[in-house]
Amino acid sequence: MVGAKVPQRTALVLGGGGLKGFAHIGVLRALEERGIKPHVYAGTSIGSLIAAARVGGMSLGEMTDRALSLRKRDLFRINHMGMLLERMHSPSLYLEGPLRDLCAGVSPSGTFRDLPTPLLVNTVEVERGTRLVWGLPGLQDVPVVDAVYASCALPGFFPPGWVDGRSCVDGGTIDNLPTAIASVGMDAVIAVDVGSSELGRARDIASQGFAAIYMRAATVMMHALQQHALTDWQGPPMLLIRPRVGHRHWFSFTHTAEIIEAGYVAASAVLDQIGDALCAPSGIFPKRMVSLRVDRERCIGCGICVALAPRIMAFDDTGKAVVTSSPLQWSPADGDFVQECPTEAIVAESLDGSMRTTRPISEPTLHAADD
């Protein structure tokens, strides 16, 4: 295998995804083994937490130990008093304290201006309804821990965080993988998506309570927003790493070692085959050859695929969908329309045999109390 040739000015972007974000630790280990040192770190939610810990000098060993020792009681404590006295006016289901303590325990002290390596923490200002990326010029003189808490404050689950007098929540509300902002002035981007890449069919969501329904809806929303940004990517070359963690709950405390290893395996695989692709003018990598076909018996002619991918799909004389171009060279960001087919009639297969998909079935999205 040919190792990755990574430009010096490379941004590492770590996406949100609940505790599935522990896969970022495995990715960092793969980068460290190959001597790859990002010029800028950026993150949303747990991605910002791990990026902040890394910029602050925390070793991967300590990160792993902390992740393995984390338990539900360390993060989720129901806001009984608020729910009882304030009811619908309560700001959150869970108390702020445990999450803030977790953020304070791993985030570097001081402000963004004090950091040895640039760090960007993605949040959303609730009142204005716009993103605020702390660490950018003009947004550096605030405590890092305040921004990290706000980036992790999933709306409804935790109270908003106050950063420099602004009420902010989880940046995934707008942009779960802030590649565009992190890429400014960079020669390449390494992005790690753990939150919404494997949007398979979830079983029995409607019977699992409001938390599961809410998180499923949030995952679908984040996936659509993120996919739009990736489809129209015009920035520097991007290495998109998607660890196989989609089958795990957002807040599962019992599969941490597996999730960390999934990040390491996914990152190692692409870094060992990417070569000098990150020296290209633009594009999303790695790319592979994929063949497409339509199962005519399943196709109902609804036209969703034609509307979403008019350069690849069309109608035949009978009103059925057909593929106009195959095989295709696809990146991990391509082919999202395949999963949009309501009858799963479109089949995508990589020519090397590493991938075959219509719309995979995933495990339930969330149960904070499962573990």
Side-chain angles (χ1 to χ4, degrees):
M1 293 291 183
V2 178
K5 185 176 180 181
V6 179
Q8 182 177 359
R9 295 182 62 83
T10 294
L12 176 63
V13 183
L14 306 181
L19 300 188
K20 292 188 290 185
F22 285 145
H24 295 319
I25 300 173
V27 173
L28 289 172
R29 177 158 64 95
L31 294 174
E32 184 178 80
E33 287 181 352
R34 290 156 180 81
I36 299 172
K37 297 181 179 180
H39 188 77
V40 171
Y41 288 78
T44 295
S45 196
I46 192 171
S48 72
L49 184 73
I50 292 176
R54 191 58 170 162
V55 169
M58 184 176 291
S59 70
L60 297 181
E62 183 177 353
M63 283 191 202
T64 301
D65 290 343
R66 284 176 175 266
L68 291 172
S69 65
L70 188 67
R71 295 293 180 266
K72 179 194 169 190
R73 63 180 177 273
D74 300 324
L75 186 59
F76 296 111
R77 296 180 195 170
I78 293 178
N79 182 12
H80 291 287
M81 192 63 68
M83 299 295 290
L84 177 64
L85 298 180
E86 301 178 74
R87 299 189 180 183
M88 293 300 293
H89 291 286
S90 176
S92 65
L93 177 62
Y94 296 106
L95 294 170
E96 174 180 333
L99 176 58
R100 179 168 285 278
D101 290 343
L102 175 64
C103 294
V106 302
S107 299
S109 60
T111 70
F112 286 85
R113 196 177 296 278
D114 301 324
L115 298 176
T117 303
L119 170 67
L120 305 178
V121 172
N122 187 35
T123 69
V124 170
E125 185 181 355
V126 175
E127 293 182 359
R128 291 196 310 134
T130 57
R131 77 186 76 201
L132 270 175
V133 182
W134 303 99
L136 290 174
L139 297 171
Q140 296 173 325
D141 297 313
V142 300
V144 175
V145 65
D146 287 352
V148 171
Y149 169 80
S151 186
C152 293
L154 185 65
F157 282 69
F158 296 100
W162 287 92
V163 189
D164 195 28
R166 302 170 188 251
S167 181
C168 299
V169 297
D170 191 332
T173 306
I174 290 179
D175 189 356
N176 201 42
L177 195 66
T179 51
I181 292 175
S183 71
V184 175
M186 296 294 108
D187 297 321
V189 174
I190 298 175
V192 188
D193 173 21
V194 296
S196 61
S197 59
E198 297 177 61
L199 194 62
R201 180 191 297 162
R203 297 187 181 96
D204 302 322
I205 285 293
S207 65
Q208 295 174 27
F210 78 90
I213 295 171
Y214 174 87
M215 285 307 301
R216 178 61 176 179
T219 302
V220 172
M221 175 194 70
M222 287 188 290
H223 176 84
L225 290 171
Q226 181 174 300
Q227 191 61 35
H228 176 74
L230 293 174
T231 299
D232 296 333
W233 181 250
Q234 299 294 322
M238 179 195 304
L239 179 62
L240 181 57
I241 301 172
R242 284 178 160 167
R244 294 185 176 276
V245 294
H247 60 296
R248 293 302 177 201
H249 300 160
W250 276 63
F251 298 123
S252 172
F253 293 84
T254 56
H255 301 94
T256 301
E258 172 197 319
I259 290 171
I260 293 174
E261 182 65 16
Y264 176 76
V265 169
S268 296
V270 297
L271 288 169
D272 288 342
Q273 67 175 320
I274 195 65
D276 62 355
L278 291 184
C279 298
S282 189
I284 298 179
F285 303 92
K287 294 185 181 292
R288 58 185 169 182
M289 296 302 296
V290 174
S291 68
L292 288 178
R293 62 181 176 85
V294 176
D295 184 331
R296 291 184 60 79
E297 293 185 3
R298 285 178 174 267
C299 179
I300 58 175
C302 69
I304 291 177
C305 61
V306 177
L308 295 178
R311 297 181 180 179
I312 301 173
M313 308 298 296
F315 289 117
D316 65 11
D317 293 340
T318 67
K320 298 277 190 175
V322 293
V323 178
T324 61
S325 179
S326 180
L328 299 162
Q329 189 178 52
W330 272 1
S331 78
D334 292 318
D336 195 59
F337 69 91
V338 172
Q339 296 189 25
E340 295 284 350
C341 178
T343 59
E344 301 173 356
I346 306 172
V347 179
E349 298 176 288
S350 61
L351 298 189
D352 62 7
S354 63
M355 179 273 289
R356 182 182 188 276
T357 184
T358 52
R359 187 179 180 87
I361 295 176
S362 66
E363 293 301 316
T365 311
L366 163 73
H367 273 300
D370 275 353
D371 306 299

